[in-house]
Amino acid sequence: STEIKAVITLFGATGDLAKRKLYPSLFNLFRKGFLADNFALLGTSRSAWSDEEFQANVRESIQKIAEDKDGQYDAFVKHCFYQPHDVTNPEHYDKLNDRIADLETKFGTENNRLFYMSMAPRFFGTIAANIKSQGLLSDDGFNRLVIEKPFGRDFESAKQLNKELTETFDENQIYRIDHYLGKEMVQNISALRFGNTAIESLWNHRYIDNIQVTLSEDMGVEERAGYYDQSGALRDMVQNHIMQVVAQLAMEQPLTFTDQEIREEKAKALRSLRKYTPQEAAANFVRGQYAAGDNNNDYRHEDGVDPESITETYVAAKLSFDSERWAGVPFYVRTGKLLAGKFTRVDVVFKKPLLDIFSNAANSHEQKLNQNVLTIYIDPKPGFSLTLNAKKVGQGYTTEPAMLEFFHSDEQKALSPEPYERLFHDALEGNSTNFASWSEIADAWQFVDVIRDVWDHESPEFPNYTPGTMGPKEADELLARDGREWVVK
Ligand code: NAD
């Protein structure tokens, strides 16, 4: 591993995300040697903390993930500093700039600057503008911006935000976080496809019947209700995570495995996603909201939710690509809260053999050939499986399903970095493979906006699904209409 040299300036240092994910991720990079002597973390937020108070907070957050070995806590927090800072006050940036310059000298970071925005999105544009106007960009090191989600709430607001950011940072300096892209098995989609003739040669409309993507959550909105009620599942999960997974499944093979080429192919895939008319959107999208659960609370009675809310906590959809590869192959996607389980998976359903020659064999009336299904398990247990048809042991000739399975061992899981750790590392190394480009985001929003607009002009019959199920019956009907069904029912 090559050592990374940089000063990381974090906006939102007292926030929830910083404490739960960002400090532990940086500490892990430190433990593993990716960060060593030549880095510093400068936390900022409005709280009037001292360096010592900040270090105590960082220490508290990293304690939760690892034992202190060989004084690693102390060694790490010696690189952590704090500057009280109001992002809306331009003068405060002058002081911030001085502190960054001091840390650059102290830690020999070669003037590399990484800015991380972990705050309410309404501040993103303001921070970028002040970074430029107050001269916080480095002249001779790198300047990078890592930015949290959500990236806008529709195409127009995303475009506006992007315009504001690109007045300070170039597209290739902007790292837009989508933590699904930091997941081991999402990254594995490319290896599975482009590393295997046995898979990629079948990866098209000749052999694939349909592809299903499920992001299932078993929890309700919890303490994020206020935010969620303004957002809904379409914005919160479909526009970003689902679109990113779908793009990796649908894209053509990149010329080389580099960030530029991969992002280009993903962007092309999203451009070939059929943009629905309002009528098509209404026919191909299903929304849901959960009803009374165990504690007798339905979504509309959750704390922070409007009692007449028509926000969806569930979305299922049929997507179509206008490309040679995917002609006539639907991608069915779904996500929701308070569903039957917490898991993320992709099911690739292959076509049946054109002819079932076993149907004439003795005893076969009880068994029909099944479709082969390749499953990519993303969460919680990473792995793949492939179901085949095999001869049932014994006299006569009956077939039965046989499953090939591969799951990561506990050892492999222990070696898998958390998404935030991986993404932090990639941004520090200047590798943008696993970050969403503007072009991808723009296309995803334009696709989603049509549906949002249709939904915002009609009142749904909510609530319409029971906690602990896989969603409203309309989601089953969406596939039944095509003579298909969800692999996970
Ligand atoms: P938070 O509300 O917990 O923290 C916000 C931070 O901003 C605090 O440090 C606060 O002091 C600071 N702040 C607010 N106003 C300020 C001002 N005027 N000047 C300077 N600092 C100010 O938010 P969070 O949950 O940590 O989320 C941060 C970002 O990460 C958001 O973009 C959010 O959408 C995203 N995100 C969070 C989570 C999560 O699990 N918390 C998950 C995904 C994405």
Side-chain angles (χ1 to χ4, degrees), residues 11-21 44-47 82 85-88 116-124 148-150 179 224 227 420:
F11 299 95
T14 59
D16 170 67
L17 186 77
K19 278 188 243 176
R20 280 194 308 113
K21 303 284 184 189
T44 80
S45 84
R46 277 184 306 192
S47 310
Y82 184 84
H85 178 87
D86 179 345
V87 294
T88 60
Y116 197 125
M117 295 183 188
S118 178
M119 292 186 56
R122 67 177 185 282
F123 293 119
F124 293 165
E148 268 302 327
K149 76 164 197 178
H179 71 278
R224 283 175 78 228
Y227 161 77
Y420 271 99

Side-chain angles (χ1 to χ4, degrees), residues 376-387:
I376 303 168
Y377 303 93
I378 296 169
D379 280 324
K381 203 174 150 197
F384 318 118
S385 69
L386 178 63
T387 57

Side-chain angles (χ1 to χ4, degrees), residues 74-88:
D74 274 342
F76 179 70
V77 301
K78 275 191 190 131
H79 293 263
C80 300
F81 302 85
Y82 184 84
Q83 177 63 36
H85 178 87
D86 179 345
V87 294
T88 60

